[in-house]
Amino acid sequence: MSNIVTLADGSTARPARLDDAPAMLAIYHAVSQKLIGEPEETLEEIVDTMQEPFVDLDRDVRVVHTPQGELIGFGWVYLRLLRDVEIDLYMHPDFWATDTVVMPYLTAWAETRARDALALVPEHERVTVTAWCYHNDDWYQAHLRQLGLEVVRSSYLMWIDFNELLPAPVLPAGLTIREFRRDEDWHYVFDVRREAWLDMWGFVPRTYEEDYTDWRHYWEKNFHEGYWFVAEQDGVAVGVCLGEPTYNGADDVAYIASVGVRRANRRQGIAFSLLTSALAQFQARGKRAASLYVDASSLTGAVALYERAGMHVKRRFDRMQKELRAGVDQRVQVAGALE
């Protein structure tokens, strides 16, 4: 195959194929077991990502094999958000101490591919490349620093174990919380969620049509009846909580993908009511725990909200970033900046 690259140590790199997914999963698990003591990622998640319309396997994903044919490393470059291209690189921990070729190849390839975004973004706008990593992953962070990335932000995995019966939620006067109606609420809920995201650090606003198309594609696959909730005041949607019945392959752990409240309706206890109502529903459905991810320096104070609901920080991830081109930064930096 002409698209196979032979590296200095005899390893070979090529574009990924769907049938590489099981071997990639084994590396994900080896890394997470080493760093956090439990497996993360599922085969379904890998395959789903490889089949996303914004992923070009020939250009966006590389796998590396030893001369003996063992897959030992891989990398992703996500050009879905062109102003902040995300890279994700992995190598089996058994090779960390001796590797001098594979990860340097993957980092160089990833930056080269990320720079393709420059031609797709107006010349006056800022473009960055971002990588997420476990807070304690010194090996990967060292390679990213060699590429010029530095930690700019952190996020938390927050968690609650349902060790005892949760108290019944108390709703503010005039507030009702109901389940999402699949055939009626798409635009309804999208408008609330989109407004809430305008106060998320790093969010890059797009046109309504672009966001809505992306929303429908993603959530039509991820909608779960009984796990999406809408808060209403006088029949008008003011907040949403979007959950999933599993987390990281665990059927007994629920996951909260998004909690958002319209700006004009904040500081009224709506987010707390949504969150505690959702948690109570998850427990009633037999879940033993619930999880979510949050910006550690949330512009809206989300961490304190989740802690008040009984959640705690289970894990920290660091966001490393490098500027590929200076310019006007379209990303949200402070709450309310896009009002």
Side-chain angles (χ1 to χ4, degrees):
M1 296 173 62
S2 59
N3 53 3
I4 293 179
V5 176
T6 301
L7 308 183
D9 63 351
S11 300
T12 55
R14 62 163 171 79
R17 303 186 301 252
L18 280 176
D19 60 7
D20 291 318
M24 295 167 69
L25 178 65
I27 295 177
Y28 273 121
H29 286 179
V31 171
S32 61
Q33 286 282 8
K34 180 177 179 65
L35 294 171
I36 63 172
E38 61 185 72
E40 286 205 319
E41 202 70 38
T42 67
L43 184 61
E44 180 182 13
E45 289 170 337
I46 297 172
V47 172
D48 282 351
T49 303
M50 295 175 87
Q51 295 178 318
E52 288 283 2
F54 60 83
V55 173
D56 180 344
L57 289 182
D58 286 339
R59 305 181 67 191
D60 298 341
V61 193
R62 285 291 180 276
V63 294
V64 180
H65 293 81
T66 66
Q68 294 74 35
E70 177 186 2
L71 197 158
I72 60 169
F74 60 88
W76 304 77
V77 178
Y78 302 100
L79 271 74
R80 178 167 169 260
L81 301 176
L82 296 173
R83 293 163 182 82
D84 187 28
V85 180
E86 184 175 340
I87 64 175
D88 196 17
L89 313 175
Y90 279 81
M91 187 176 187
H92 198 290
D94 289 351
F95 298 86
W96 286 2
T98 57
D99 174 60
T100 59
V101 174
V102 175
M103 188 54 76
Y105 163 78
L106 286 172
T107 54
W109 163 79
E111 180 174 7
T112 298
R113 176 58 177 145
R115 287 186 176 277
D116 289 341
L118 297 176
L120 303 174
V121 175
E123 292 183 0
H124 68 284
E125 293 188 19
R126 183 173 186 247
V127 178
T128 56
V129 59
T130 286
W132 287 95
C133 49
Y134 294 112
H135 178 61
N136 62 332
D137 193 347
D138 297 334
W139 183 84
Y140 185 33
Q141 289 203 22
H143 280 281
L144 292 173
R145 286 194 172 91
Q146 289 177 3
L147 194 63
L149 283 77
E150 294 293 340
V151 175
V152 296
R153 205 82 173 178
S154 295
S155 69
Y156 296 142
L157 169 65
M158 299 195 69
W159 193 274
I160 182 171
D161 289 303
F162 299 141
N163 294 323
E164 55 188 36
L165 185 64
L166 295 176
V170 178
L171 306 187
L175 185 74
T176 60
I177 295 177
R178 64 168 176 84
E179 292 185 12
F180 178 90
R181 295 187 293 256
R182 184 184 181 104
D183 295 330
E184 303 173 35
D185 290 340
W186 287 110
H187 269 294
Y188 197 45
V189 172
F190 168 71
D191 289 343
V192 177
R193 179 178 175 271
R194 187 171 192 265
E195 182 176 327
W197 276 43
L198 295 180
D199 292 320
M200 184 178 71
W201 187 90
F203 176 70
V204 180
R206 298 183 294 177
T207 67
Y208 189 95
E209 292 73 20
E210 288 173 330
D211 277 345
Y212 186 69
T213 298
D214 195 47
W215 155 263
R216 286 300 299 259
H217 167 75
Y218 183 75
W219 287 111
E220 279 182 348
K221 296 196 313 177
N222 291 276
F223 169 71
H224 299 281
E225 188 171 359
Y227 288 84
W228 282 25
F229 305 95
V230 182
E232 293 179 323
Q233 285 182 330
D234 300 321
V236 177
V238 294
V240 295
C241 179
L242 310 180
E244 301 179 23
T246 64
Y247 169 73
N248 198 32
D251 292 335
D252 57 355
V253 179
Y255 172 66
I256 297 175
S258 183
V259 179
V261 175
R262 286 190 182 276
R263 285 170 166 169
N265 302 95
R266 293 176 186 166
R267 309 295 180 187
Q268 299 176 31
I270 296 173
F272 184 76
S273 297
L274 271 167
L275 178 62
T276 53
S277 295
L279 294 175
Q281 285 293 321
F282 297 160
Q283 185 180 48
R285 293 177 183 275
K287 305 301 180 182
R288 67 172 176 84
S291 61
L292 58 78
Y293 290 96
V294 61
D295 178 4
S297 304
S298 167
L299 299 178
T300 57
V303 175
L305 169 72
Y306 300 146
E307 289 177 333
R308 190 154 58 94
M311 306 190 80
H312 66 274
V313 175
K314 181 176 182 179
R315 192 167 300 131
R316 174 178 163 180
F317 300 85
D318 290 333
R319 179 176 187 163
M320 301 185 68
Q321 193 172 86
K322 171 184 176 178
E323 186 174 79
L324 298 181
R325 184 177 71 200
V328 177
D329 199 341
Q330 300 288 349
R331 282 160 284 201
V332 172
Q333 302 291 325
V334 296
L338 298 177
E339 288 184 292

